């Protein structure tokens, strides 16, 4: 899967499509180029589902602007869910820690994230003009949604304009901490 993401980044095509099915990943999937979208055929209904088996790092790490996840369920196996980790998010959306720069236009639509060792979605360092729509986070050990301006993660790009994002039809159920942490 990572090779398909890397090929998409090299060819500037932008979309990695996951046909309906269950996919197991043993390492973090990393989106490192602008505009890459992971797209499945239905997240809330788990038509397209990614199950993370690794015990370090997030299931998906996004490191560039205008990237997102659409129509995908993200789960963990029992070993990952039981692990004690510092970066065990379903999705970790983080730009490089450069003063004055933030993430922009990230999009999460029709996503279901469950059983993560930390947060469902953790955004660090800004989320300018981002969209979280029809996203459910359930049974994560810490928080459902964390929108961290960089203060919590000790980043240098924390003195940016406030977050400007849309959170629409999203919910966090049975998470160990807050549903939404700003």
């Amino acid at each position: 899967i990572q090779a398909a993401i890397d090929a998409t980044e090299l060819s500037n095509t932008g979309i990695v499509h996951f046909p309906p099915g269950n996919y197991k990943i043993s390492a973090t999937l990393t989106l490192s180029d602008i505009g890459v979208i992971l797209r499945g055929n239905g997240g809330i209904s788990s038509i397209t589902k990614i199950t993370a088996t690794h015990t370090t790092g997030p299931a998906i790490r996004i490191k560039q602007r205008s990237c997102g996840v659409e129509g995908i369920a993200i789960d963990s196996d029992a070993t990952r869910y039981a692990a004690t980790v510092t970066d065990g998010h379903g999705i970790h959306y983080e730009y490089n820690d450069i003063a004055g720069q933030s993430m922009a236009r990230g999009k999460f639509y029709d996503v279901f994230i469950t059983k993560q060792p930390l947060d469902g979605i953790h955004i660090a360092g800004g989320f300018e003009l981002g969209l979280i729509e029809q996203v459910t986070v359930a049974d994560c050990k810490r928080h459902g949604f964390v929108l961290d301006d960089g203060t919590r993660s000790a980043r240098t790009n924390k003195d940016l304009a406030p977050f400007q994002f849309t959170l629409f039809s999203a919910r966090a159920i049975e998470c160990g901490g807050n549903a939404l942490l700003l």
Side-chain angles (χ1 to χ4, degrees):
I1 295 172
Q2 186 63 54
I5 293 168
D6 295 344
T8 299
E9 292 174 351
L10 289 173
S11 65
N12 294 318
T13 56
I15 296 174
V16 176
H17 182 258
F18 290 77
N22 295 318
Y23 302 86
K24 284 192 176 182
I25 59 171
S26 58
T28 299
L29 299 178
T30 302
L31 284 63
S32 299
D33 202 6
I34 294 173
V36 176
I37 304 290
L38 301 183
R39 182 175 291 154
N41 287 67
I44 299 299
S45 55
S46 295
I47 294 170
T48 304
K49 181 173 159 183
I50 294 172
T51 301
T53 63
H54 54 287
T55 57
T56 59
I60 298 171
R61 183 181 307 277
I62 300 174
K63 298 185 67 116
Q64 265 296 354
R65 300 169 180 229
S66 302
C67 293
V69 178
E70 302 174 5
I72 294 176
I74 302 168
D75 196 359
S76 291
D77 69 357
T79 303
R80 175 178 167 81
Y81 186 61
T84 302
V85 296
T86 58
D87 192 14
H89 313 296
I91 298 172
H92 193 188
Y93 194 78
E94 59 167 342
Y95 198 55
N96 296 326
D97 188 14
I98 300 170
Q101 293 186 354
S102 71
M103 298 292 274
R105 302 191 186 280
K107 181 179 180 184
F108 306 107
Y109 175 75
D110 184 23
V111 177
F112 179 63
I113 301 171
T114 187
K115 295 189 300 188
Q116 296 303 312
L118 286 181
D119 309 321
I121 296 177
H122 188 114
I123 297 167
F127 193 48
E128 190 177 353
L129 301 173
L131 174 67
I132 298 172
E133 183 176 357
Q134 293 184 15
V135 175
T136 296
V137 175
D139 199 21
C140 292
K141 287 188 177 176
R142 202 165 68 172
H143 310 298
F145 302 93
V146 176
L147 292 116
D148 172 11
D149 71 346
T151 302
R152 292 181 61 84
S153 52
R155 298 169 70 90
T156 60
N157 59 348
K158 63 184 177 185
D159 295 325
L160 301 171
F163 284 97
Q164 299 172 3
F165 63 91
T166 302
L167 184 66
F168 183 74
S169 294
R171 61 187 176 170
I173 304 166
E174 297 183 12
C175 293
N178 298 305
L180 174 63
L181 182 62
L182 297 173

